[in-house]
Amino acid sequence: MSRDVCVHTWPCSYYLELEKRWVPGKLSLSSLTLKFMADKTGDILVSFPLSSITEIKKESSHFIFSSITILEKDHVKHWFSSLQPGRNVVFHIIEHFWRELLLSQSGASVEASSSPMTKGKELTGLMACSQKRLEDAARVLHHQGEQLDSIVSSLDKMESDLDVADRLLTELEAPSWWPFSSKFWKMPSDTKPKGGSSMANSRALGKEGIVIRVPAIIFQRTESHVKPGSLTILVSGLEIHDSNSLLIHRFEKGDVDDVKVHTHYEVSIRQRFTGKPDIAFRLISAKMPEVIPILEMQFSKKIELLEDTLMLRSPRTPSPAEKDYSVLRAASGLMDCARHQESSGSQEDSSLQLQIREPLTSDEDTQELRQILRKLKGLALDAQTELERQDEALDGIATAVDRTTVTIDKQNRRMKKLT
């Protein structure tokens, strides 16, 4: 995301060191910068990038109470007080985005220092993002297939239990003088181990079903009740943990009633109840742009994009599918252009051809693009095969459920006759 999107705005006061007075206004945090605007004049009194911050502290004295101080690299100190809804809320959010920006810049600076950015490297980066998106979708699809396999094994166990129930009902229905009654009480020896293995499989599936985990700032009940923690997206639901990795709440996939995307960095999750308060959480994270596409895939019928998010998704910003298509088309065009230039290397004006060929893509970038395209093709074919297998499994599950329902109804009627 190249644009500097506003994350949050808080009413507060800023201390002017030269005039020795407090100025009321609004403190605005974006993904890259922090600025303060005065209420009366509308002037921006201070604005600086998050990357220039060296220290964020909560301070107070007999002159300044409940303040946040921010120290820049040039030893300029800024004081913010009268923060609403509270100092802790503003402190946790600013510190979160500052730390995440420092972590992301450390990796980006290493890459930038190693080699200059070219068109080929930019295209490779876009292709790598598309590959990551497809890998996340394939991971979700794989865990979904494991859940379907667990359902099939549970249905097999249920049918085995129904066979045992049928034998017991036949014994109860038989007259007392029936000489072969004792053999119906013999249980299958493999019934209990199957149950144990099914439980073990379900437990293992729950441990391996993590799709993505990101650090987040968690709001619960009111805006002033905030704490740092993390959001974990599972195949079977969502989990919210505090900073000590202790579970705060777990949403099963079917329990989530609505997911609202307020901005690219803020979402809210709610489970409705009748006769008691709803369970709702509001989460802000610098990594939320990576989470929102997965939420859209898992909760496609329950997710809601609010007006702020729809405005950010302007017509100038292509959708992920359009971006992937444009990346593939650009990659094929660049590769054809590279081949054409290699074949025409013996023509005249070789220096001009080198100037044209140099900014497009190098042989190393072209080779890397070919490898990424092969991986994308393999992932797409594997996803198609898995979808076909899951379609067959769903047909088998539907047939088994119908057969089990008929058997249960039949045995219920037999039990009513006995009573």
Side-chain angles (χ1 to χ4, degrees), residues 147-158 393-394 396-397 400:
Q147 286 185 326
L148 290 177
D149 294 338
S150 177
I151 292 173
V152 171
S153 63
S154 299
L155 286 172
D156 292 339
K157 180 180 179 299
M158 189 180 296
L394 285 173
I397 288 172

Side-chain angles (χ1 to χ4, degrees), residues 117-121 123 333-366 369-370:
M117 181 63 68
T118 62
K119 293 292 183 181
K121 291 187 180 300
L123 184 58
L334 285 176
M335 291 168 65
D336 293 339
C337 182
R339 295 195 196 98
H340 176 71
Q341 289 176 355
E342 288 175 1
S343 62
S344 60
S346 59
Q347 295 178 358
E348 297 179 356
D349 300 332
S350 59
S351 60
L352 180 60
Q353 290 179 2
L354 286 174
Q355 292 178 358
I356 296 175
R357 183 172 54 185
E358 196 171 17
L360 289 178
T361 178
S362 62
D363 294 338
E364 182 181 354
D365 294 335
T366 304
L369 287 173
R370 288 198 185 105

Side-chain angles (χ1 to χ4, degrees), residues 71-104:
L71 184 64
E72 290 191 77
K73 292 180 180 178
D74 52 0
H75 302 288
V76 176
K77 196 171 187 178
H78 305 280
W79 292 79
F80 300 95
S81 185
S82 302
L83 295 155
Q84 298 178 11
R87 181 178 66 168
N88 290 334
V89 177
V90 182
F91 175 80
H92 284 308
I93 295 177
I94 295 177
E95 185 187 40
H96 168 78
F97 277 85
W98 173 53
R99 289 188 176 184
E100 292 298 324
L101 180 65
L102 292 181
L103 291 174
S104 62

Side-chain angles (χ1 to χ4, degrees), residues 4-23:
D4 194 11
V5 181
C6 181
V7 177
H8 216 291
T9 302
W10 304 277
C12 71
S13 297
Y14 176 71
Y15 185 71
L16 286 175
E17 185 69 28
L18 297 177
E19 301 181 10
K20 303 296 181 182
R21 67 184 180 93
W22 289 94
V23 179

Side-chain angles (χ1 to χ4, degrees), residues 289-347:
E290 301 177 11
V291 177
I292 292 175
I294 302 175
L295 292 175
E296 289 179 341
M297 184 167 49
Q298 284 201 341
F299 304 98
S300 57
K301 297 182 180 179
K302 300 177 181 179
I303 195 166
E304 179 183 359
L305 301 177
L306 300 182
E307 292 183 0
D308 296 338
T309 311
L310 292 175
M311 289 175 62
L312 289 173
R313 291 190 174 189
S314 59
R316 293 175 298 172
T317 303
S319 63
E322 295 172 349
K323 187 182 290 186
D324 294 344
Y325 174 74
S326 63
V327 167
L328 292 174
R329 186 173 61 181
S332 60
L334 285 176
M335 291 168 65
D336 293 339
C337 182
R339 295 195 196 98
H340 176 71
Q341 289 176 355
E342 288 175 1
S343 62
S344 60
S346 59
Q347 295 178 358

Side-chain angles (χ1 to χ4, degrees), residues 36-258:
F36 177 83
M37 180 182 293
D39 285 339
K40 289 185 178 180
T41 61
D43 297 333
I44 298 177
L45 300 183
V46 62
S47 178
F48 50 88
L50 295 179
S51 57
S52 67
I53 298 176
T54 59
E55 186 181 46
I56 302 176
K57 294 174 65 177
K58 292 186 283 187
E59 296 188 26
S60 60
S61 67
H62 59 283
F63 292 114
I64 303 169
F65 301 95
S66 299
S67 300
I68 291 178
T69 61
I70 298 177
L71 184 64
E72 290 191 77
K73 292 180 180 178
D74 52 0
H75 302 288
V76 176
K77 196 171 187 178
H78 305 280
W79 292 79
F80 300 95
S81 185
S82 302
L83 295 155
Q84 298 178 11
R87 181 178 66 168
N88 290 334
V89 177
V90 182
F91 175 80
H92 284 308
I93 295 177
I94 295 177
E95 185 187 40
H96 168 78
F97 277 85
W98 173 53
R99 289 188 176 184
E100 292 298 324
L101 180 65
L102 292 181
L103 291 174
S104 62
Q105 279 186 344
S106 62
S109 61
V110 172
E111 291 184 1
S113 61
S114 62
S115 59
M117 181 63 68
T118 62
K119 293 292 183 181
K121 291 187 180 300
E122 291 180 3
L123 184 58
T124 303
L126 291 174
M127 295 284 287
C129 292
S130 302
Q131 180 184 346
K132 185 177 182 300
R133 182 73 56 81
L134 189 56
E135 286 176 351
D136 291 338
R139 193 179 300 113
V140 173
L141 193 63
H142 172 70
H143 288 298
Q144 180 176 298
E146 289 183 346
Q147 286 185 326
L148 290 177
D149 294 338
S150 177
I151 292 173
V152 171
S153 63
S154 299
L155 286 172
D156 292 339
K157 180 180 179 299
M158 189 180 296
E159 288 186 354
S160 176
D161 294 340
L162 288 174
D163 290 339
V164 175
D166 180 69
R167 295 181 183 182
L168 295 176
L169 286 173
T170 304
E171 165 66 19
L172 293 174
E173 291 172 343
S176 58
W177 49 266
W178 185 250
F180 306 104
S181 60
S182 61
K183 71 177 182 179
F184 293 110
W185 291 97
K186 191 174 182 180
M187 296 286 188
S189 58
D190 57 343
T191 302
K192 191 171 183 180
K194 280 186 179 178
S197 62
S198 177
M199 290 294 292
N201 291 335
S202 63
R203 289 173 185 170
L205 180 60
K207 292 180 180 179
E208 297 175 358
I210 297 177
V211 179
I212 189 173
R213 177 182 288 133
V214 295
I217 303 298
I218 305 165
F219 293 83
Q220 189 178 10
R221 300 186 188 94
T222 61
E223 289 188 357
S224 59
H225 188 207
V226 61
K227 62 176 69 176
S230 63
L231 170 66
T232 304
I233 299 183
L234 308 170
V235 178
S236 58
L238 305 170
E239 287 184 353
I240 299 174
H241 297 81
D242 61 8
S243 57
N244 297 322
S245 299
L246 297 177
L247 181 65
I248 298 176
H249 188 76
R250 175 186 172 90
F251 290 98
E252 296 295 337
K253 193 172 183 179
D255 295 339
V256 177
D257 290 310
D258 59 67

